Amino acid sequence: MKTFEELAAGTMFSVSKGVPTLHKYDTSLTLIGEGRSAVVFRINSTDLALKVFLPGQERTAIEEASIYRLLAGNSYFPTLHGSGENYIVIDYIEGITIFNCLQYGLRISEEHIKVIDEALEQARTCGLNPSDVHLKNILITNSGDIKLIDVARFLQTKNCSQWDDIKWAYHTFYRRNVFPKRIPALILNLISLVYKRPTIQKWLTNSQKYA
């Protein structure tokens, strides 16, 4: 098998008007995710995932690797197996995201919420500031465990209320009998888009203050 560095170097992108396009990657890789700053592959016949960062995101790659090193030994987060200028290699995790649980009608329990809280608190004890925690970077594994991925923003210093807002929505809406069993991905993505608007942020702050 090629080295991690060779696999990352063989991944080719272009960026037009801020929109990245993936053109080429090694045949030993299977594409499993695309985001704003990176693409993620499973390295075939292994339990490893290769995350290759887009041009201009080298600092993010270095920061995310450093965060995983701080989290070494924490069972709630993947183990870092390698890193370079524009890539990291972590555990490949079999599971389903909280986003997909809502999409397909799979139950999210109160215990799941408590475990996620514990995972984030353990990250804080490592000197980190968990940020940008959203529905697509929390996974429930096939064995029912919680894993958090995409930790690149755990070094930022500003307060991020995203997880607290998710918890508030869980307790306020999700647990009601009338809550829909399944929510289409289109609607979930629309909620995510609207959520970022300042007026919604202000409403959430006031709603939680007086809840």
Side-chain angles (χ1 to χ4, degrees), residues 96-109:
I96 187 167
T97 64
I98 297 295
F99 182 97
N100 291 140
C101 287
L102 292 171
Q103 182 182 3
Y104 301 127
L106 301 176
R107 182 171 175 267
I108 304 163
S109 70

Side-chain angles (χ1 to χ4, degrees), residues 34 47 86 100 103 109 112-113 148 150-151 177 186 200:
E34 296 183 73
D47 291 321
N86 70 328
N100 291 140
Q103 182 182 3
S109 70
H112 288 139
I113 301 299
L148 282 81
D150 248 355
V151 298
N177 292 332
L186 179 65
I200 298 298

Side-chain angles (χ1 to χ4, degrees), residues 76-106:
Y76 295 122
F77 298 89
T79 297
L80 180 72
H81 296 277
S83 65
E85 184 181 61
N86 70 328
Y87 73 89
I88 61 172
V89 179
I90 58 175
D91 297 327
Y92 171 75
I93 299 168
E94 294 271 6
I96 187 167
T97 64
I98 297 295
F99 182 97
N100 291 140
C101 287
L102 292 171
Q103 182 182 3
Y104 301 127
L106 301 176

Side-chain angles (χ1 to χ4, degrees), residues 3-69:
T3 66
F4 299 150
E5 185 173 2
E6 288 171 334
L7 292 174
T11 304
M12 302 298 180
F13 304 94
S14 66
V15 180
S16 176
K17 297 181 180 179
V19 179
T21 301
L22 177 62
H23 292 290
K24 180 183 177 183
Y25 54 90
D26 195 85
T27 56
S28 65
L29 302 175
T30 298
L31 181 66
I32 58 174
E34 296 183 73
R36 292 171 296 177
S37 62
V39 294
V40 184
F41 306 92
R42 182 176 186 175
I43 302 177
N44 297 340
S45 302
T46 76
D47 291 321
L48 300 175
L50 171 69
K51 185 173 184 178
V52 182
F53 291 79
L54 299 172
Q57 295 291 334
E58 290 81 6
R59 180 177 176 181
T60 306
I62 293 168
E63 288 182 349
E64 187 156 7
S66 70
I67 293 167
Y68 277 122
R69 290 189 185 96

